Amino acid sequence: MRQDDQVTDRDAVPFDLASMRKQYRAEGLSESGLAATPVEQFARWFKQAATEGGLFEPNAMVVSTADAEGRPSSRTVLLKHFDEQGFVFYTNYGSRKARDLGENPYVSLLFPWHPMARQVIVTGVARRTGRDETAAYFRTRPHGSQLGAWASAQSEVIVSRADLDAAYAELAARYPEGEQVPVPPHWGGFRVAPQSVEFWQGRENRLHDRLRYVARPDGSWRVERLSP
């Protein structure tokens, strides 16, 4: 046994992480098969993820931001809309991600579609959606989720779960089911306008396919292949 093997308690490491690996699918991703724009290509892959991928929430994405000092943070958020203008999600504007985006609008979105051995990575600039768009989406949320947007001061330290539940109960009494809940002024959307979108397809022997759309100044896209 090597000296450094004695440092870690074997019982505390139940899995051999170094040997945990999967052989990815053989079918690849070619330039000739790509759509004209990254949003069109994303729509193709998203449809497959939602219908064939066996994913719990195919619209779940990891949103990574950084504050003015460059300190990063990541969290999982649900994509609620996408089109040629960008990818939209909603949040409390007092949350850490929203504060980060207020200081530094550059953001990365990662869709980790592991069962399909696929990833999509979007980098771009986030801007707030308009209040009319925010209100229209808010009205589609379940009643409980509307109340939750008021009850939670997202990312703030709270004393206990009981305090959060009490705030929700007070709101539920004020706005019972069937009564319209006002749109919180501190809550709304961000639209991420993509500057690059990478489509990652797992391949055998770790020789993955990585094709990236990069925005040109005239609004068109160039496609480049990245080494795995």
Side-chain angles (χ1 to χ4, degrees):
M1 180 180 292
R2 297 178 307 171
Q3 179 79 20
D4 57 358
D5 285 338
Q6 301 177 17
V7 175
T8 301
D9 181 355
R10 294 280 185 179
D11 292 336
V13 185
F15 302 107
D16 181 1
L17 296 179
S19 66
M20 293 178 69
R21 60 176 57 86
K22 297 288 186 182
Q23 189 68 279
Y24 293 142
R25 59 200 297 167
E27 52 267 42
L29 181 63
S30 66
E31 290 85 345
S32 63
L34 287 180
T37 71
V39 172
E40 290 177 28
Q41 182 63 34
F42 180 84
R44 290 179 186 177
W45 271 24
F46 185 81
K47 182 178 180 180
Q48 291 178 335
T51 60
E52 307 167 17
L55 295 159
F56 173 61
E57 286 184 318
N59 60 327
M61 59 185 182
V62 178
V63 177
S64 297
T65 59
D67 64 17
E69 284 71 47
R71 293 172 296 198
S73 61
S74 299
R75 74 289 291 161
T76 301
V77 175
L78 296 179
L79 176 71
K80 287 302 177 180
H81 179 74
F82 68 90
D83 56 26
E84 292 294 339
Q85 281 65 56
F87 300 79
V88 179
F89 65 91
Y90 291 85
T91 187
N92 187 310
Y93 284 145
S95 65
R96 178 175 179 177
K97 57 183 165 302
R99 295 197 304 268
D100 282 357
L101 292 173
E103 299 174 348
N104 177 1
Y106 294 99
V107 61
S108 175
L109 312 177
L110 167 65
F111 295 85
W113 294 332
H114 300 308
M116 305 178 73
R118 286 179 173 175
Q119 301 179 75
V120 180
I121 305 166
V122 179
T123 59
V125 176
R127 296 284 185 265
R128 290 189 181 190
T129 59
R131 293 308 294 173
D132 288 346
E133 184 176 356
T134 290
Y137 169 70
F138 187 79
R139 297 288 171 230
T140 71
R141 288 164 63 92
H143 180 73
S145 296
Q146 293 181 8
L147 297 177
W150 279 100
S152 172
Q154 196 173 99
S155 300
E156 296 297 322
V157 175
I158 59 176
V159 175
S160 69
R161 173 74 195 202
D163 286 354
L164 180 63
D165 291 340
Y168 181 90
E170 181 181 341
L171 286 160
R174 188 186 311 171
Y175 302 106
E177 189 77 42
E179 185 168 333
Q180 181 168 296
V181 180
V183 181
H186 56 268
W187 186 94
F190 281 99
R191 173 173 283 100
V192 178
Q195 296 178 330
S196 73
V197 185
E198 178 184 334
F199 293 86
W200 184 103
Q201 176 67 73
R203 298 290 301 275
E204 291 180 328
N205 303 315
R206 296 299 185 261
L207 297 178
H208 313 306
D209 284 326
R210 298 175 60 190
L211 296 181
R212 181 171 64 187
Y213 292 80
V214 179
R216 292 190 175 106
D218 65 0
S220 63
W221 299 90
R222 77 171 190 271
V223 175
E224 52 194 19
R225 178 174 287 272
L226 304 179
S227 175

